[in-house]
Amino acid sequence: MKKFRAFIALDSRTNIENLRVVKKLYPYVYGFKVGYRSFYNSNSDKLIKEIKKNKSKLFLDLKLHDIPNTVGGAIESLSKINPDFLTVHISGGKTMLEYALTTINKKKLKTKLLGVTLLTSLDSKDSQGIYCENNTKKIVKKFATLASKSEVNGIICSGNDLSELKQFKKLLKITP
């Protein structure tokens, strides 16, 4: 049976519940997305071991965003986990993105770095207040350009933005 190329978000209240989901669905899906709630919850080590034991892809959605050295340190701390995918905010800048990639390469990780373009909860009013630009598609395209120049592996973007991002052929595009 061919696996459905999707990540299942493990967002249950407890990792015991998340473990049940992994055990039930691992034969059918590409991988599992572990975000803040699950990663910082009790039994996260068991959850990650179960995902890896079943040879499913581990997508750590931690949206790292800090000074380059701190992001590099976070990635070093995650090296024992060696996630298949890891998110960072593109708004952290080119130096932060490049430092993250350098750390991944230095630690010989297989991790693919994914840059978050614009949080889907932000509308044009929010974007104007934060980025002095109310056209969210322009912001997403600007961030995709930065991600491409920084050579990250892919981006996280809204499905509504996919048509605008066709030119970025080398970037994986993952939508919520």
Side-chain angles (χ1 to χ4, degrees):
M1 170 187 265
K2 188 174 179 181
K3 290 188 176 192
F4 183 57
R5 280 191 67 93
F7 289 102
I8 299 299
L10 299 173
D11 293 331
S12 297
R13 265 189 306 118
T14 71
N15 279 332
I16 301 301
E17 293 170 46
N18 287 328
L19 278 162
R20 279 189 274 245
V21 171
V22 171
K23 288 176 182 178
K24 188 180 273 189
L25 296 180
Y26 83 85
Y28 310 107
V29 299
Y30 185 67
F32 296 92
K33 180 177 78 75
V34 175
Y36 292 133
R37 184 179 200 172
S38 301
F39 188 74
Y40 294 112
N41 209 332
S42 61
N43 296 314
S44 63
D45 54 334
K46 289 180 187 173
L47 178 63
I48 289 167
K49 281 180 188 166
E50 185 69 23
I51 292 168
K52 292 199 155 262
K53 177 183 96 175
N54 293 312
K55 298 188 177 15
S56 295
K57 299 293 182 188
L58 172 61
F59 175 175
L60 276 186
D61 189 18
L62 300 181
K63 297 178 186 77
L64 301 176
H65 185 242
D66 211 314
I67 62 172
N69 191 50
T70 301
V71 169
I75 292 171
E76 281 185 27
S77 296
L78 295 169
S79 65
K80 287 181 183 171
I81 296 172
N82 196 8
D84 297 287
F85 299 88
L86 175 67
T87 56
V88 295
H89 275 284
I90 297 169
S91 61
K94 191 173 190 335
T95 304
M96 185 201 77
L97 297 171
E98 290 172 345
Y99 203 89
L101 286 167
T102 298
T103 306
I104 287 168
N105 292 331
K106 183 177 86 178
K107 295 301 250 177
K108 296 183 170 106
L109 303 176
K110 63 179 181 174
T111 305
K112 293 195 182 319
L113 194 65
L114 305 172
V116 176
T117 55
L118 191 65
L119 296 174
T120 54
S121 61
L122 298 178
D123 61 15
S124 59
K125 186 177 177 183
D126 295 319
S127 299
Q128 180 65 42
I130 298 167
Y131 300 109
C132 298
E133 172 62 66
N134 66 0
N135 185 333
T136 57
K137 294 206 180 292
K138 269 188 179 177
I139 295 168
V140 168
K141 204 166 188 178
K142 191 177 208 176
F143 282 151
T145 300
L146 179 57
S148 182
K149 287 180 181 175
S150 303
E151 299 184 5
V152 300
N153 303 101
I155 55 175
I156 307 294
C157 61
S158 164
N160 296 330
D161 295 326
L162 289 173
S163 62
E164 296 284 325
L165 301 172
K166 285 181 184 173
Q167 73 190 68
F168 301 98
K169 296 187 187 323
K170 288 185 179 180
L171 290 175
L172 290 170
K173 292 161 197 83
I174 298 178
T175 61

